[in-house]
mmCIF file of all heavy atoms in Angstrom:
data_model
loop_
_atom_site.group_PDB
_atom_site.id
_atom_site.type_symbol
_atom_site.label_atom_id
_atom_site.label_comp_id
_atom_site.label_asym_id
_atom_site.label_seq_id
_atom_site.Cartn_x
_atom_site.Cartn_y
_atom_site.Cartn_z
ATOM 1 N N TYR A 33 23.096 -17.211 -4.895
ATOM 2 C CA TYR A 33 22.806 -16.147 -5.838
ATOM 3 C C TYR A 33 21.691 -16.592 -6.765
ATOM 4 O O TYR A 33 21.623 -17.746 -7.147
ATOM 5 C CB TYR A 33 24.051 -15.802 -6.665
ATOM 6 C CG TYR A 33 25.137 -15.205 -5.826
ATOM 7 C CD1 TYR A 33 26.243 -15.953 -5.479
ATOM 8 C CD2 TYR A 33 25.034 -13.911 -5.348
ATOM 9 C CE1 TYR A 33 27.236 -15.412 -4.697
ATOM 10 C CE2 TYR A 33 26.033 -13.359 -4.558
ATOM 11 C CZ TYR A 33 27.127 -14.124 -4.238
ATOM 12 O OH TYR A 33 28.101 -13.586 -3.458
ATOM 13 N N MET A 34 20.871 -15.672 -7.171
ATOM 14 C CA MET A 34 19.834 -15.925 -8.164
ATOM 15 C C MET A 34 18.851 -16.996 -7.731
ATOM 16 O O MET A 34 18.983 -18.157 -8.067
ATOM 17 C CB MET A 34 20.459 -16.360 -9.478
ATOM 18 C CG MET A 34 20.792 -15.188 -10.352
ATOM 19 S SD MET A 34 21.114 -15.708 -12.014
ATOM 20 C CE MET A 34 19.507 -16.190 -12.542
ATOM 21 N N LEU A 35 17.916 -16.614 -6.977
ATOM 22 C CA LEU A 35 16.870 -17.549 -6.580
ATOM 23 C C LEU A 35 15.781 -17.574 -7.643
ATOM 24 O O LEU A 35 15.611 -16.617 -8.395
ATOM 25 C CB LEU A 35 16.263 -17.105 -5.246
ATOM 26 C CG LEU A 35 17.191 -17.196 -4.039
ATOM 27 C CD1 LEU A 35 16.712 -16.288 -2.933
ATOM 28 C CD2 LEU A 35 17.280 -18.622 -3.540
ATOM 29 N N THR A 36 15.066 -18.668 -7.678
ATOM 30 C CA THR A 36 13.879 -18.730 -8.516
ATOM 31 C C THR A 36 12.684 -18.518 -7.592
ATOM 32 O O THR A 36 12.540 -19.225 -6.588
ATOM 33 C CB THR A 36 13.800 -20.087 -9.242
ATOM 34 O OG1 THR A 36 14.964 -20.193 -10.045
ATOM 35 C CG2 THR A 36 12.577 -20.178 -10.121
ATOM 36 N N ILE A 37 11.899 -17.523 -7.936
ATOM 37 C CA ILE A 37 10.858 -17.074 -7.011
ATOM 38 C C ILE A 37 9.507 -17.016 -7.721
ATOM 39 O O ILE A 37 9.432 -16.547 -8.864
ATOM 40 C CB ILE A 37 11.236 -15.671 -6.465
ATOM 41 C CG1 ILE A 37 12.494 -15.781 -5.589
ATOM 42 C CG2 ILE A 37 10.080 -15.037 -5.683
ATOM 43 C CD1 ILE A 37 13.082 -14.455 -5.164
ATOM 44 N N THR A 38 8.475 -17.487 -7.055
ATOM 45 C CA THR A 38 7.110 -17.278 -7.567
ATOM 46 C C THR A 38 6.356 -16.420 -6.563
ATOM 47 O O THR A 38 6.492 -16.606 -5.350
ATOM 48 C CB THR A 38 6.373 -18.620 -7.766
ATOM 49 O OG1 THR A 38 7.020 -19.345 -8.810
ATOM 50 C CG2 THR A 38 4.908 -18.396 -8.166
ATOM 51 N N ILE A 39 5.587 -15.479 -7.095
ATOM 52 C CA ILE A 39 4.779 -14.620 -6.232
ATOM 53 C C ILE A 39 3.324 -14.868 -6.608
ATOM 54 O O ILE A 39 2.947 -14.675 -7.769
ATOM 55 C CB ILE A 39 5.100 -13.135 -6.477
ATOM 56 C CG1 ILE A 39 6.608 -12.926 -6.587
ATOM 57 C CG2 ILE A 39 4.399 -12.252 -5.462
ATOM 58 C CD1 ILE A 39 7.302 -12.132 -5.587
ATOM 59 N N ILE A 40 2.529 -15.291 -5.669
ATOM 60 C CA ILE A 40 1.106 -15.503 -5.948
ATOM 61 C C ILE A 40 0.376 -14.188 -5.652
ATOM 62 O O ILE A 40 0.372 -13.716 -4.508
ATOM 63 C CB ILE A 40 0.514 -16.642 -5.084
ATOM 64 C CG1 ILE A 40 1.381 -17.909 -5.143
ATOM 65 C CG2 ILE A 40 -0.931 -16.920 -5.504
ATOM 66 C CD1 ILE A 40 1.554 -18.527 -6.504
ATOM 67 N N GLY A 41 -0.212 -13.627 -6.684
ATOM 68 C CA GLY A 41 -0.893 -12.330 -6.550
ATOM 69 C C GLY A 41 -0.039 -11.247 -7.178
ATOM 70 O O GLY A 41 1.103 -11.039 -6.778
ATOM 71 N N SER A 42 -0.588 -10.594 -8.218
ATOM 72 C CA SER A 42 0.188 -9.536 -8.875
ATOM 73 C C SER A 42 -0.456 -8.184 -8.618
ATOM 74 O O SER A 42 -0.457 -7.305 -9.457
ATOM 75 C CB SER A 42 0.287 -9.809 -10.374
ATOM 76 O OG SER A 42 -0.959 -9.554 -10.970
ATOM 77 N N GLY A 43 -1.025 -8.054 -7.429
ATOM 78 C CA GLY A 43 -1.553 -6.742 -7.024
ATOM 79 C C GLY A 43 -0.392 -5.850 -6.626
ATOM 80 O O GLY A 43 0.756 -6.096 -7.005
ATOM 81 N N TYR A 44 -0.726 -4.855 -5.858
ATOM 82 C CA TYR A 44 0.262 -3.856 -5.487
ATOM 83 C C TYR A 44 1.516 -4.475 -4.867
ATOM 84 O O TYR A 44 2.633 -4.287 -5.342
ATOM 85 C CB TYR A 44 -0.414 -2.930 -4.472
ATOM 86 C CG TYR A 44 0.184 -1.612 -4.569
ATOM 87 C CD1 TYR A 44 -0.268 -0.698 -5.506
ATOM 88 C CD2 TYR A 44 1.279 -1.300 -3.796
ATOM 89 C CE1 TYR A 44 0.341 0.510 -5.641
ATOM 90 C CE2 TYR A 44 1.884 -0.096 -3.923
ATOM 91 C CZ TYR A 44 1.410 0.802 -4.850
ATOM 92 O OH TYR A 44 2.040 1.982 -4.986
ATOM 93 N N VAL A 45 1.309 -5.254 -3.824
ATOM 94 C CA VAL A 45 2.434 -5.819 -3.076
ATOM 95 C C VAL A 45 3.151 -6.879 -3.908
ATOM 96 O O VAL A 45 4.382 -6.895 -3.996
ATOM 97 C CB VAL A 45 1.914 -6.416 -1.742
ATOM 98 C CG1 VAL A 45 3.025 -7.156 -1.017
ATOM 99 C CG2 VAL A 45 1.339 -5.320 -0.869
ATOM 100 N N GLY A 46 2.381 -7.762 -4.540
ATOM 101 C CA GLY A 46 2.982 -8.859 -5.300
ATOM 102 C C GLY A 46 3.834 -8.367 -6.455
ATOM 103 O O GLY A 46 4.970 -8.812 -6.645
ATOM 104 N N LEU A 47 3.297 -7.425 -7.211
ATOM 105 C CA LEU A 47 4.025 -6.952 -8.393
ATOM 106 C C LEU A 47 5.276 -6.174 -7.994
ATOM 107 O O LEU A 47 6.342 -6.346 -8.593
ATOM 108 C CB LEU A 47 3.099 -6.094 -9.268
ATOM 109 C CG LEU A 47 3.677 -5.677 -10.617
ATOM 110 C CD1 LEU A 47 4.146 -6.870 -11.437
ATOM 111 C CD2 LEU A 47 2.657 -4.866 -11.410
ATOM 112 N N ILE A 48 5.155 -5.344 -6.976
ATOM 113 C CA ILE A 48 6.334 -4.566 -6.543
ATOM 114 C C ILE A 48 7.397 -5.517 -5.984
ATOM 115 O O ILE A 48 8.588 -5.397 -6.302
ATOM 116 C CB ILE A 48 5.947 -3.503 -5.483
ATOM 117 C CG1 ILE A 48 4.943 -2.504 -6.067
ATOM 118 C CG2 ILE A 48 7.185 -2.793 -4.931
ATOM 119 C CD1 ILE A 48 5.431 -1.696 -7.236
ATOM 120 N N THR A 49 6.976 -6.483 -5.176
ATOM 121 C CA THR A 49 7.935 -7.461 -4.644
ATOM 122 C C THR A 49 8.602 -8.195 -5.802
ATOM 123 O O THR A 49 9.826 -8.353 -5.836
ATOM 124 C CB THR A 49 7.205 -8.472 -3.718
ATOM 125 O OG1 THR A 49 6.552 -7.745 -2.685
ATOM 126 C CG2 THR A 49 8.155 -9.470 -3.100
ATOM 127 N N GLY A 50 7.797 -8.627 -6.765
ATOM 128 C CA GLY A 50 8.327 -9.380 -7.908
ATOM 129 C C GLY A 50 9.328 -8.577 -8.717
ATOM 130 O O GLY A 50 10.433 -9.045 -8.999
ATOM 131 N N ILE A 51 8.964 -7.362 -9.063
ATOM 132 C CA ILE A 51 9.843 -6.587 -9.953
ATOM 133 C C ILE A 51 11.126 -6.184 -9.215
ATOM 134 O O ILE A 51 12.210 -6.158 -9.804
ATOM 135 C CB ILE A 51 9.097 -5.357 -10.547
ATOM 136 C CG1 ILE A 51 9.818 -4.846 -11.790
ATOM 137 C CG2 ILE A 51 8.916 -4.235 -9.561
ATOM 138 C CD1 ILE A 51 9.755 -5.714 -12.968
ATOM 139 N N CYS A 52 11.007 -5.913 -7.927
ATOM 140 C CA CYS A 52 12.211 -5.523 -7.173
ATOM 141 C C CYS A 52 13.138 -6.726 -6.985
ATOM 142 O O CYS A 52 14.364 -6.585 -7.060
ATOM 143 C CB CYS A 52 11.834 -4.916 -5.827
ATOM 144 S SG CYS A 52 11.060 -3.302 -6.000
ATOM 145 N N LEU A 53 12.569 -7.917 -6.769
ATOM 146 C CA LEU A 53 13.426 -9.099 -6.627
ATOM 147 C C LEU A 53 14.029 -9.490 -7.975
ATOM 148 O O LEU A 53 15.146 -10.012 -8.033
ATOM 149 C CB LEU A 53 12.643 -10.254 -5.993
ATOM 150 C CG LEU A 53 12.269 -10.017 -4.513
ATOM 151 C CD1 LEU A 53 11.438 -11.179 -3.969
ATOM 152 C CD2 LEU A 53 13.516 -9.808 -3.643
ATOM 153 N N ALA A 54 13.329 -9.199 -9.065
ATOM 154 C CA ALA A 54 13.927 -9.408 -10.404
ATOM 155 C C ALA A 54 15.090 -8.425 -10.592
ATOM 156 O O ALA A 54 16.153 -8.793 -11.092
ATOM 157 C CB ALA A 54 12.864 -9.215 -11.485
ATOM 158 N N GLU A 55 14.889 -7.197 -10.167
ATOM 159 C CA GLU A 55 15.946 -6.180 -10.270
ATOM 160 C C GLU A 55 17.182 -6.596 -9.460
ATOM 161 O O GLU A 55 18.307 -6.275 -9.820
ATOM 162 C CB GLU A 55 15.386 -4.833 -9.781
ATOM 163 C CG GLU A 55 16.373 -3.690 -9.671
ATOM 164 C CD GLU A 55 16.848 -3.115 -11.016
ATOM 165 O OE1 GLU A 55 16.393 -3.612 -12.064
ATOM 166 O OE2 GLU A 55 17.681 -2.195 -10.994
ATOM 167 N N ARG A 56 16.952 -7.346 -8.402
ATOM 168 C CA ARG A 56 18.070 -7.832 -7.577
ATOM 169 C C ARG A 56 18.724 -9.094 -8.170
ATOM 170 O O ARG A 56 19.556 -9.720 -7.537
ATOM 171 C CB ARG A 56 17.578 -8.138 -6.158
ATOM 172 C CG ARG A 56 17.351 -6.910 -5.321
ATOM 173 C CD ARG A 56 18.690 -6.329 -4.868
ATOM 174 N NE ARG A 56 18.487 -5.292 -3.867
ATOM 175 C CZ ARG A 56 18.925 -4.045 -3.987
ATOM 176 N NH1 ARG A 56 19.603 -3.681 -5.045
ATOM 177 N NH2 ARG A 56 18.718 -3.164 -3.034
ATOM 178 N N GLY A 57 18.280 -9.521 -9.346
ATOM 179 C CA GLY A 57 18.969 -10.614 -10.034
ATOM 180 C C GLY A 57 18.284 -11.966 -9.959
ATOM 181 O O GLY A 57 18.811 -12.958 -10.449
ATOM 182 N N ASN A 58 17.117 -12.035 -9.338
ATOM 183 C CA ASN A 58 16.411 -13.317 -9.243
ATOM 184 C C ASN A 58 15.523 -13.539 -10.468
ATOM 185 O O ASN A 58 15.227 -12.598 -11.206
ATOM 186 C CB ASN A 58 15.546 -13.329 -7.982
ATOM 187 C CG ASN A 58 16.366 -13.087 -6.733
ATOM 188 O OD1 ASN A 58 17.128 -13.945 -6.311
ATOM 189 N ND2 ASN A 58 16.236 -11.906 -6.147
ATOM 190 N N THR A 59 15.102 -14.789 -10.657
ATOM 191 C CA THR A 59 14.155 -15.105 -11.720
ATOM 192 C C THR A 59 12.774 -15.207 -11.079
ATOM 193 O O THR A 59 12.578 -16.004 -10.159
ATOM 194 C CB THR A 59 14.520 -16.452 -12.374
ATOM 195 O OG1 THR A 59 15.856 -16.345 -12.846
ATOM 196 C CG2 THR A 59 13.598 -16.786 -13.527
ATOM 197 N N VAL A 60 11.843 -14.396 -11.560
ATOM 198 C CA VAL A 60 10.571 -14.249 -10.850
ATOM 199 C C VAL A 60 9.388 -14.534 -11.777
ATOM 200 O O VAL A 60 9.357 -14.079 -12.920
ATOM 201 C CB VAL A 60 10.441 -12.810 -10.285
ATOM 202 C CG1 VAL A 60 9.107 -12.622 -9.573
ATOM 203 C CG2 VAL A 60 11.593 -12.486 -9.336
ATOM 204 N N THR A 61 8.419 -15.268 -11.247
ATOM 205 C CA THR A 61 7.132 -15.408 -11.931
ATOM 206 C C THR A 61 6.061 -14.842 -11.005
ATOM 207 O O THR A 61 6.024 -15.199 -9.819
ATOM 208 C CB THR A 61 6.806 -16.888 -12.214
ATOM 209 O OG1 THR A 61 7.885 -17.449 -12.946
ATOM 210 C CG2 THR A 61 5.522 -17.033 -13.025
ATOM 211 N N VAL A 62 5.224 -13.956 -11.530
ATOM 212 C CA VAL A 62 4.083 -13.502 -10.740
ATOM 213 C C VAL A 62 2.829 -14.190 -11.283
ATOM 214 O O VAL A 62 2.628 -14.264 -12.497
ATOM 215 C CB VAL A 62 3.902 -11.960 -10.735
ATOM 216 C CG1 VAL A 62 4.974 -11.284 -9.914
ATOM 217 C CG2 VAL A 62 3.870 -11.379 -12.117
ATOM 218 N N VAL A 63 2.037 -14.712 -10.369
ATOM 219 C CA VAL A 63 0.857 -15.498 -10.765
ATOM 220 C C VAL A 63 -0.407 -14.741 -10.366
ATOM 221 O O VAL A 63 -0.501 -14.231 -9.245
ATOM 222 C CB VAL A 63 0.878 -16.880 -10.063
ATOM 223 C CG1 VAL A 63 -0.381 -17.673 -10.367
ATOM 224 C CG2 VAL A 63 2.119 -17.661 -10.477
ATOM 225 N N ASP A 64 -1.330 -14.664 -11.292
ATOM 226 C CA ASP A 64 -2.602 -14.002 -10.974
ATOM 227 C C ASP A 64 -3.722 -14.695 -11.732
ATOM 228 O O ASP A 64 -3.518 -15.154 -12.862
ATOM 229 C CB ASP A 64 -2.538 -12.519 -11.364
ATOM 230 C CG ASP A 64 -3.483 -11.679 -10.512
ATOM 231 O OD1 ASP A 64 -4.720 -11.833 -10.671
ATOM 232 O OD2 ASP A 64 -2.993 -10.902 -9.689
ATOM 233 N N ILE A 65 -4.907 -14.732 -11.133
ATOM 234 C CA ILE A 65 -6.034 -15.342 -11.835
ATOM 235 C C ILE A 65 -6.608 -14.398 -12.898
ATOM 236 O O ILE A 65 -7.337 -14.827 -13.788
ATOM 237 C CB ILE A 65 -7.185 -15.762 -10.874
ATOM 238 C CG1 ILE A 65 -7.511 -14.639 -9.894
ATOM 239 C CG2 ILE A 65 -6.883 -17.054 -10.166
ATOM 240 C CD1 ILE A 65 -8.798 -14.863 -9.128
ATOM 241 N N ASP A 66 -6.268 -13.123 -12.792
ATOM 242 C CA ASP A 66 -6.800 -12.116 -13.706
ATOM 243 C C ASP A 66 -6.012 -12.146 -15.034
ATOM 244 O O ASP A 66 -4.878 -11.646 -15.118
ATOM 245 C CB ASP A 66 -6.689 -10.747 -13.031
ATOM 246 C CG ASP A 66 -7.311 -9.632 -13.854
ATOM 247 O OD1 ASP A 66 -7.433 -9.801 -15.089
ATOM 248 O OD2 ASP A 66 -7.664 -8.600 -13.266
ATOM 249 N N GLU A 67 -6.615 -12.744 -16.063
ATOM 250 C CA GLU A 67 -5.911 -12.943 -17.343
ATOM 251 C C GLU A 67 -5.486 -11.625 -17.969
ATOM 252 O O GLU A 67 -4.417 -11.515 -18.568
ATOM 253 C CB GLU A 67 -6.812 -13.696 -18.327
ATOM 254 C CG GLU A 67 -6.921 -15.160 -17.974
ATOM 255 C CD GLU A 67 -7.801 -15.937 -18.944
ATOM 256 O OE1 GLU A 67 -8.104 -15.425 -20.028
ATOM 257 O OE2 GLU A 67 -8.186 -17.058 -18.571
ATOM 258 N N GLU A 68 -6.348 -10.624 -17.839
ATOM 259 C CA GLU A 68 -6.040 -9.328 -18.440
ATOM 260 C C GLU A 68 -4.811 -8.702 -17.774
ATOM 261 O O GLU A 68 -3.927 -8.164 -18.450
ATOM 262 C CB GLU A 68 -7.275 -8.414 -18.327
ATOM 263 C CG GLU A 68 -7.095 -7.001 -18.836
ATOM 264 C CD GLU A 68 -6.663 -6.915 -20.317
ATOM 265 O OE1 GLU A 68 -6.715 -7.928 -21.035
ATOM 266 O OE2 GLU A 68 -6.239 -5.811 -20.721
ATOM 267 N N LYS A 69 -4.759 -8.825 -16.462
ATOM 268 C CA LYS A 69 -3.606 -8.266 -15.739
ATOM 269 C C LYS A 69 -2.321 -8.990 -16.158
ATOM 270 O O LYS A 69 -1.280 -8.358 -16.377
ATOM 271 C CB LYS A 69 -3.837 -8.423 -14.234
ATOM 272 C CG LYS A 69 -3.089 -7.391 -13.416
ATOM 273 C CD LYS A 69 -3.217 -7.679 -11.960
ATOM 274 C CE LYS A 69 -4.203 -6.792 -11.268
ATOM 275 N NZ LYS A 69 -4.242 -7.055 -9.834
ATOM 276 N N VAL A 70 -2.408 -10.290 -16.305
ATOM 277 C CA VAL A 70 -1.242 -11.082 -16.724
ATOM 278 C C VAL A 70 -0.798 -10.644 -18.122
ATOM 279 O O VAL A 70 0.396 -10.452 -18.386
ATOM 280 C CB VAL A 70 -1.589 -12.592 -16.677
ATOM 281 C CG1 VAL A 70 -0.572 -13.433 -17.424
ATOM 282 C CG2 VAL A 70 -1.693 -13.043 -15.222
ATOM 283 N N ARG A 71 -1.769 -10.426 -19.003
ATOM 284 C CA ARG A 71 -1.441 -9.982 -20.362
ATOM 285 C C ARG A 71 -0.745 -8.615 -20.335
ATOM 286 O O ARG A 71 0.278 -8.399 -20.982
ATOM 287 C CB ARG A 71 -2.727 -9.910 -21.203
ATOM 288 C CG ARG A 71 -2.491 -9.657 -22.680
ATOM 289 C CD ARG A 71 -3.752 -9.214 -23.403
ATOM 290 N NE ARG A 71 -4.288 -7.935 -22.941
ATOM 291 C CZ ARG A 71 -3.752 -6.754 -23.187
ATOM 292 N NH1 ARG A 71 -2.642 -6.662 -23.913
ATOM 293 N NH2 ARG A 71 -4.284 -5.642 -22.719
ATOM 294 N N VAL A 72 -1.298 -7.711 -19.540
ATOM 295 C CA VAL A 72 -0.747 -6.343 -19.461
ATOM 296 C C VAL A 72 0.690 -6.387 -18.924
ATOM 297 O O VAL A 72 1.600 -5.758 -19.475
ATOM 298 C CB VAL A 72 -1.665 -5.457 -18.572
ATOM 299 C CG1 VAL A 72 -0.990 -4.153 -18.208
ATOM 300 C CG2 VAL A 72 -2.983 -5.189 -19.284
ATOM 301 N N ILE A 73 0.913 -7.168 -17.871
ATOM 302 C CA ILE A 73 2.269 -7.246 -17.292
ATOM 303 C C ILE A 73 3.232 -7.840 -18.325
ATOM 304 O O ILE A 73 4.338 -7.323 -18.532
ATOM 305 C CB ILE A 73 2.277 -8.085 -15.987
ATOM 306 C CG1 ILE A 73 1.436 -7.390 -14.910
ATOM 307 C CG2 ILE A 73 3.710 -8.306 -15.484
ATOM 308 C CD1 ILE A 73 1.182 -8.225 -13.675
ATOM 309 N N ASN A 74 2.810 -8.914 -18.986
ATOM 310 C CA ASN A 74 3.700 -9.542 -19.978
ATOM 311 C C ASN A 74 3.961 -8.645 -21.183
ATOM 312 O O ASN A 74 4.929 -8.850 -21.920
ATOM 313 C CB ASN A 74 3.146 -10.896 -20.424
ATOM 314 C CG ASN A 74 3.445 -11.971 -19.391
ATOM 315 O OD1 ASN A 74 4.438 -11.874 -18.661
ATOM 316 N ND2 ASN A 74 2.592 -12.967 -19.311
ATOM 317 N N ALA A 75 3.086 -7.641 -21.371
ATOM 318 C CA ALA A 75 3.334 -6.660 -22.443
ATOM 319 C C ALA A 75 4.252 -5.539 -21.937
ATOM 320 O O ALA A 75 4.527 -4.579 -22.650
ATOM 321 C CB ALA A 75 2.007 -6.092 -22.938
ATOM 322 N N GLY A 76 4.689 -5.660 -20.678
ATOM 323 C CA GLY A 76 5.615 -4.659 -20.119
ATOM 324 C C GLY A 76 4.926 -3.389 -19.664
ATOM 325 O O GLY A 76 5.570 -2.369 -19.432
ATOM 326 N N GLU A 77 3.592 -3.457 -19.515
ATOM 327 C CA GLU A 77 2.848 -2.256 -19.099
ATOM 328 C C GLU A 77 2.468 -2.379 -17.624
ATOM 329 O O GLU A 77 2.042 -3.442 -17.176
ATOM 330 C CB GLU A 77 1.559 -2.126 -19.919
ATOM 331 C CG GLU A 77 1.780 -1.804 -21.381
ATOM 332 C CD GLU A 77 2.524 -0.488 -21.592
ATOM 333 O OE1 GLU A 77 2.362 0.419 -20.761
ATOM 334 O OE2 GLU A 77 3.292 -0.400 -22.566
ATOM 335 N N PRO A 78 2.573 -1.304 -16.860
ATOM 336 C CA PRO A 78 2.168 -1.394 -15.450
ATOM 337 C C PRO A 78 0.651 -1.392 -15.301
ATOM 338 O O PRO A 78 -0.003 -0.495 -15.831
ATOM 339 C CB PRO A 78 2.775 -0.137 -14.815
ATOM 340 C CG PRO A 78 3.178 0.744 -15.934
ATOM 341 C CD PRO A 78 3.119 0.000 -17.224
ATOM 342 N N PRO A 79 0.057 -2.371 -14.625
ATOM 343 C CA PRO A 79 -1.399 -2.350 -14.430
ATOM 344 C C PRO A 79 -1.831 -1.309 -13.403
ATOM 345 O O PRO A 79 -3.010 -0.997 -13.289
ATOM 346 C CB PRO A 79 -1.713 -3.765 -13.931
ATOM 347 C CG PRO A 79 -0.437 -4.307 -13.417
ATOM 348 C CD PRO A 79 0.691 -3.580 -14.070
#
Side-chain angles (χ1 to χ4, degrees):
Y33 294 105
M34 272 195 70
L35 293 159
T36 300
I37 293 171
T38 294
I39 316 245
I40 310 299
S42 73
Y44 209 85
V45 173
L47 187 55
I48 299 298
T49 303
I51 199 70
C52 290
L53 291 177
E55 174 72 0
R56 284 285 190 237
N58 303 288
T59 303
V60 178
T61 305
V62 288
V63 176
D64 207 291
I65 47 168
D66 184 337
E67 286 181 15
E68 177 58 12
K69 206 187 257 183
V70 165
R71 188 196 64 73
V72 167
I73 295 170
N74 281 332
E77 292 300 329

